[in-house]
Amino acid sequence: MNTWLKVLIGVLSGAAVFTAGILIGHYGMYREPSWAKGLIQDVDESLLEQFMKEIDNKKIEENLRALTKKPHMATQEGDNDLVNLILERWKDPNSGLDEAKKDTYDVYLSFPDAEKPNNVAVVQTNGTTIFTTRIKEKNYTADQLDMDVVQPYAAYGPAGNPKGKLVFANQGKISDFEYLSQSINLTGTIAIVRYGGAGRGAKAINAAKFGVIGIIIYTDPKEMNDGKVSETETYPNSWYLPPSGVERGSFNGYFGDLLTPYYPAKEFTYRMDESEIRDLPPIATQPIGFEDAKTLICALSGADAPSDWQGGLGCTYKVGPGFMSSGLYSGSDVQVNVYNKAMVKKSDNVMGIIQGSVEPDRYVIYGNHRDSWVHGAIDPSSGTAVMLEISRVLGKMVKTGKWRPRRTIIFGSWGAEEFGLIGSVEYTEEYYSLLRERTVAYINVDISVFANATFSAGATPPVQNVIFTSAKQVTIPGDKSTSVYENWKKYSNRTSSVHGLIPRIGNLGAGSDYASFIHYLGITSMDLSYTYDKSKTSARIYPAYHTAYDTFDYAARFIDPGFTSHQTVGRTAGNILLRLADSLIIPFDVTDYTETLEAYVKTASESFGTVLSNKNISLAPINDALAKFKTAASNLKQKISELKNLNEIPLTVRRINDQLMLLERAFLDHRAFPEKYYYSHVIWASKTSSVPTFPGLADAFAKAEETKLDDDWKQVNKHVTIIVQAIESAAHILEVVAYHQLKQSKENGSASNAGTTLKPILEWFVIQSILVAILKQLQQGQQGPEPQFPEPQAGPAAPADADEQSEGEPPATGHAGRSAEEIAENNEAHQDR
Amino acid sequence: MNTWLKVLIGVLSGAAVFTAGILIGHYGMYREPSWAKGLIQDVDESLLEQFMKEIDNKKIEENLRALTKKPHMATQEGDNDLVNLILERWKDPNSGLDEAKKDTYDVYLSFPDAEKPNNVAVVQTNGTTIFTTRIKEKNYTADQLDMDVVQPYAAYGPAGNPKGKLVFANQGKISDFEYLSQSINLTGTIAIVRYGGAGRGAKAINAAKFGVIGIIIYTDPKEMNDGKVSETETYPNSWYLPPSGVERGSFNGYFGDLLTPYYPAKEFTYRMDESEIRDLPPIATQPIGFEDAKTLICALSGADAPSDWQGGLGCTYKVGPGFMSSGLYSGSDVQVNVYNKAMVKKSDNVMGIIQGSVEPDRYVIYGNHRDSWVHGAIDPSSGTAVMLEISRVLGKMVKTGKWRPRRTIIFGSWGAEEFGLIGSVEYTEEYYSLLRERTVAYINVDISVFANATFSAGATPPVQNVIFTSAKQVTIPGDKSTSVYENWKKYSNRTSSVHGLIPRIGNLGAGSDYASFIHYLGITSMDLSYTYDKSKTSARIYPAYHTAYDTFDYAARFIDPGFTSHQTVGRTAGNILLRLADSLIIPFDVTDYTETLEAYVKTASESFGTVLSNKNISLAPINDALAKFKTAASNLKQKISELKNLNEIPLTVRRINDQLMLLERAFLDHRAFPEKYYYSHVIWASKTSSVPTFPGLADAFAKAEETKLDDDWKQVNKHVTIIVQAIESAAHILEVVAYHQLKQSKENGSASNAGTTLKPILEWFVIQSILVAILKQLQQGQQGPEPQFPEPQAGPAAPADADEQSEGEPPATGHAGRSAEEIAENNEAHQDR
């Protein structure tokens, strides 16, 4: 009897303690399911440190050497070799990515005829050619001797052999031809112009409007070479352009494959007629070096060119027409001989993918083009060398199981960029829907190092925040005490009304592969590089740009000896990439858009306000929309800041991330600029007006002011509507989403479901405890005192705690804060539509 | 000593048992965090049952009575009263929604002049008017006497008083006028045409092309009244149209506010000139009743009209021109007198919102227009009466805390639909970005009950699945053994290659407010109603449509006595709404799109294949794209079916739901139909060709066949590209997203994080157990046997199980399946881009 009772008490006590344990284990100790851990993992700072350490300047140097072994113009053998090289890297079993593949497009390109080289000739009236420009650039380092060095030419310039009197037309701007035409009949002339001031193709289009029949373009040493002209002062003795160096380039009128706008250039894709291509040079066009340009310009007759037209060729520039009667070329014409041929060729993008672990359907894309004009050591291989080093370090982390990004990372090696951003545009066309829905950001690193002085970035406002965060974590080459950020701020800065003195981030034009990402798809984009000290050179760009001198030797000796600037760009860009891919909340600061929009509105009001109010066009609706945007952006930022330290439910994080991701998309209006291919972003579209405000408004205003037509003033009014709609759409996307929890009325128990399911178990536990106590009393009464097992300390404490929880209070764990957060959300007045 | 040992053993045993409890509680019993519960909650079938029970036919009847008290043409007093009524319902503290508000737009409408009523007159050559059509419809039930009954008119028809000889032009199709013009000079004539065959506005546009200067439209009793013409046979004695009844309507050329296409018609919005509005009737247009039409048509002279032009007026229709010389009107002209005025007026949408609990940023929208032409009992108030009953039942469930949808539900009461879907179009314009990113589906219930026979639906393929599921759960009025589904299948069916014999779901045109949702935003949409037994009537629509006889009395006596069909629609539509809002996985079957696309491709190939291959246009790329789509759709379906019974991680569910939601969006191409406002959906855009295939291809083919122009054949080719791009985009969206888990390499431990965190605790437990055993041995040695507390049974079992788990196997809970699932996913070859 006694023993039986003891056993019973023992069993019940054991059961009670066991139950207490179960209850504490199950409810008292907060436990996420294993999958929840990944969901709330934020960016790992120590991993970032490790990543940056591993970015190796020597490896970048090796990459660049491999990438520049041969000229690799789009679809050339050298280009195809690099396709294979990159595929191999990205498929490497130890440092490759999850997947690598090539996407092939059939794209419309233009090449010179190797059999019939283009040239510019001086031809006497009797037909005798007395001077011909160089066919190839002069050899200095053997690189120039490679059979695959393409002869200088103007891609997409038409074939032809126009002949006429030479005139000098400065930069080939409309105003330049207007000036000349005051004193010269330009009809039938050949114009020589220098690079700069107007787009490549625009020079020929402008010229043709004035009757000019052929155009020659050269690089003036004043602009590119800080005046240096002799071989002793130029490459291979310095970074300056040798006298025979010629800048190649594309003379396309819009970007993407010219025959298939808006559709990927697949084999079967509908192609427009070549005659339908818009804005190509209508007249024969040929670029030459400044040595040859000097021969032509310094022999010109006619009036002196205006002083601001004068350049660095060492003579007084005259405008022509024709050559000095006292010189060798007296009476001669100039003939532009162009034999370019356009053709459709297969061009590859190489795509490499690291699949995301938590949000595989969210993409961070990092890209650069692969094709160059010649060896392209700086343009674009300096970027590719860095990209391959970033992908190697990340690939190794993935292959060794150390890391996997939260979001999917996609690397893109674009083809045929030099001809007009073709590879990246075809990619965004083919995957338009998918990329539009899933892409968080696009990072472009084309030329990674222009020069050694400072980091530089162009971007849309939301990424300023993450660029700065990363730039503060990286130090500059050779000085571990100075951050990229501080150094940058010294070279280029502005005073922000919100942030004070900060580095200046430029706007994104259409100069590289980010163009279709930002302008067509509305994907938050950035373009990163290391660049000049502008106080030390006035070069428009590094002097070997697009010439046969942009070689490994040039890069290693003059652009970035030691490749430490490359390394710095790799660390900074990689840091940004990792933050975008791994941060729990996408590190965009949407309030930074407010500053841009406010500046635009202020400028519009100051520049156009008076005239517009006379035309009964009010800018007030833009102000109203901006106020909505401002409120929505700062509320969302506030919400994010409240969220950061909490165990937020995964869908709340996703919801906010979607808002951040889609902000830029809301500024898209595919009908805003019907005359411009691709441009759809109401804030960043191209414009001809120089007024720094909404591009559609600025251009429409300029046109209406010029034409004075009612219809053109109506277009101004229409652009006010377009702007309001874009800003309001953006505000709607950012507005904090109102929501309620499933159960919120007091009578229905606590906000947490745990309360209701816990209750019966607790009741059972209390009943059992009482039963144990009764049995113990019974045992004591029968048997007298006996050595007692001490009550486990945690025993009574557990149900007491649990009981408190069952009163309807949220549990006192990190988990609790969330409920409070959700209640706060319920009280928010903001409506989600 | 002995006692001390006992106490020690007791403490350690207690601690061991307690620890075992903690371990089991913490790891052995699967526990989601409270927030995770909501995340994986699927639709609650018992709640659905409850919902359907509560849908009350009497309440619908009361709603309809309240809604039809006064005529409520857009922006009329009656319309504004209903705005307030609906706001009041949706703000009701006991059965209202979370939020209700009105959105106001300034829209371009057209009204007759109350002071100068429109009419059609017979005018003698001396100018004497000898006959005038009715100004108002005849009164039967006092409803027709209401001062707010708008006089019959053709909205957007221009004012004018053209006079000429009358001709009968059948339905006003191009072919009708071509036929007449063979024998009659139509210049300067007035044409009388019947409704049907061509759109309202198209009749006038067609007429004008042949020189016709005015047009009269009437409803022929043959088409609308099954031949019934006498007052004894028509309303109020039957559902047929009385002789004086006139169908009003909008003669707009495109939908949405005509002055602000693509932009919301806010006060400040840019408005085009009225002269820029496209496709409005160019000549005076007036609708009349068949009583008046008989007077005119039966007096015509000329040849007998062709037999298929003959109608139900009780005379042989002649074509004119002019009246019989033997009759009263001999020599007389007919004059169409129209005094319509267009103006911009404020029109409201009323929006009601139930915020979602888990995915508040996903919307299911349910809408109907509010405005009618007169009392609009059937059109649209039968739909509004049902909507208000659904919102009442849901509102009550929300207010009492019984339920809250997973996703946000938005109710819309659209304004000015009758003038051209204006309210819904402005809504989709204003919130374009937000709706495009967040809307799961749009449910339209306009006229909820045309007649009592059967349920009917138009929809895009993915929702066929959920419509059928719901239709199977609802029984038809008066027969609890027959489901809506079975009954529907009897009346209208088709044989699906996949599903066998199923009810036929129609395509969505642009007949009601779903138009901009599906065609402009690419949102999966449906249009639901109860309708006719087509074997019992040949009426084009219910005969009182758009007349002063569409009253509560008409609805209650002839359309749905007892309002049980209304109730059935309410139950079915509500069931669909709840499934879309509450299902864990959106209940779309994407593979049903394959059937549509395959049929399109087959038809295109059969109808155009031979001609196209002669033109070197291949349809093969469409076939290739379709194959990709088919694979992607069936793989995703497979993935979903594997997912359903598992505790999937919330972001996997969200990812798949995003794919389902965005499928329809991928078919959008805003450049596919540049000449058509809003139409962007490559599969469902409007077309003029009758070939049931891709609309752009069918129309381009028809045009090229007609013109034989090379440029038009190129357009055919371009549409092949457009179709391929749309289908491939859709395939990309559906492709199963490849992803990897954070840790997957074997050396790094199990796939689950739990394994690694569990290990040290388990080790501690094992050490402790060994310690306890040693102490017990010690005690036994010193003291001899004593009554032992039995080992708790669960104790050793728990660590044994747990140990197995730590070997790297996924835990054996529901949770475990997920890991296996994820591993399977890793092996999938499908790439996400």
Side-chain angles (χ1 to χ4, degrees), chain B residues 517-672:
Chain B
F517 286 94
I518 181 62
H519 296 304
Y520 181 41
L521 277 86
I523 289 168
T524 303
S525 297
M526 69 192 87
D527 187 49
L528 310 174
S529 62
Y530 228 71
T531 190
Y532 320 98
D533 179 349
K534 292 242 161 105
S535 71
K536 295 203 175 134
T537 177
S538 66
R540 179 167 51 82
I541 193 167
Y542 70 99
Y545 174 71
H546 287 195
T547 73
Y549 305 111
D550 184 354
T551 60
F552 179 81
D553 175 73
Y554 183 86
R557 292 206 294 135
F558 298 111
I559 297 291
D560 188 21
F563 289 86
T564 50
S565 293
H566 283 77
Q567 184 181 37
T568 305
V569 171
R571 285 173 174 163
T572 315
N575 191 304
I576 295 167
L577 173 65
L578 283 173
R579 287 183 181 283
L580 291 170
D582 275 358
S583 295
L584 183 61
I585 297 284
I586 299 168
F588 289 174
D589 189 340
V590 292
T591 63
D592 284 333
Y593 237 121
T594 308
E595 213 179 330
T596 301
L597 295 175
E598 279 178 338
Y600 269 22
V601 170
K602 187 160 173 276
T603 304
S605 178
E606 286 168 4
S607 307
F608 311 144
T610 315
V611 176
L612 289 183
S613 72
N614 290 337
K615 294 280 170 190
N616 276 322
I617 297 171
S618 168
L619 296 175
I622 301 183
N623 267 308
D624 297 345
L626 177 56
K628 285 184 208 169
F629 180 91
K630 198 172 170 173
T631 305
S634 70
N635 284 349
L636 186 63
K637 186 176 181 173
Q638 176 65 26
K639 167 119 194 88
I640 291 170
S641 74
E642 290 162 6
L643 199 80
K644 277 225 163 141
N645 300 319
L646 297 168
N647 259 340
E648 263 297 335
I649 62 171
L651 289 181
T652 304
V653 169
R654 172 77 166 209
R655 181 167 73 240
I656 288 168
N657 280 339
D658 278 358
Q659 292 180 282
L660 297 170
M661 176 178 82
L662 294 172
L663 163 60
E664 205 85 63
R665 235 77 96 229
F667 287 114
L668 288 187
D669 182 341
H670 285 322
R671 283 173 202 87

Side-chain angles (χ1 to χ4, degrees), chain A residues 20 25 29 39 75 101 150 199-200 266 270 334 390 432 446 459 488 514 519 553 672 685 748 750 772 774 799 801 829:
Chain A
M29 293 161 70
L39 297 188
T75 75
K101 57 166 186 166
V150 71
R200 292 187 193 104
K266 304 289 197 75
Y270 168 77
V334 166
I390 292 175
Y432 179 88
D446 182 343
W488 182 9
Y514 52 76
H519 296 303
D553 175 72
N748 281 285
S750 78
V772 168
I774 290 168
D801 278 3

Side-chain angles (χ1 to χ4, degrees), chain A residues 471-606:
Chain A
K472 285 172 185 169
Q473 286 198 322
V474 184
T475 57
I476 61 170
D479 176 2
K480 290 223 178 296
S481 68
T482 304
S483 71
V484 163
Y485 179 88
E486 285 305 324
N487 183 62
W488 182 9
K489 198 162 70 174
K490 263 189 345 220
Y491 280 98
S492 172
N493 58 55
R494 68 179 179 101
T495 302
S496 150
S497 58
V498 182
H499 307 289
L501 191 75
I502 52 173
R504 176 181 294 277
I505 287 184
N507 294 345
L508 293 172
S512 187
D513 292 300
Y514 52 76
S516 56
F517 285 95
I518 181 62
H519 296 303
Y520 182 41
L521 276 87
I523 289 168
T524 303
S525 297
M526 71 193 85
D527 187 49
L528 310 174
S529 63
Y530 228 71
T531 192
Y532 320 100
D533 179 349
K534 293 242 160 107
S535 70
K536 295 202 177 136
T537 176
S538 66
R540 180 166 52 79
I541 192 166
Y542 69 98
Y545 174 71
H546 287 194
T547 73
Y549 305 111
D550 183 356
T551 59
F552 179 81
D553 175 72
Y554 184 86
R557 291 206 293 134
F558 298 110
I559 298 289
D560 187 22
F563 289 87
T564 49
S565 294
H566 283 77
Q567 184 182 37
T568 305
V569 171
R571 285 174 175 164
T572 314
N575 190 306
I576 294 168
L577 173 65
L578 283 173
R579 288 183 180 282
L580 290 170
D582 275 358
S583 295
L584 183 62
I585 298 284
I586 299 168
F588 289 175
D589 188 341
V590 292
T591 64
D592 284 333
Y593 237 121
T594 308
E595 212 178 332
T596 300
L597 296 175
E598 278 178 339
Y600 269 21
V601 170
K602 188 160 172 278
T603 303
S605 179
E606 286 168 4

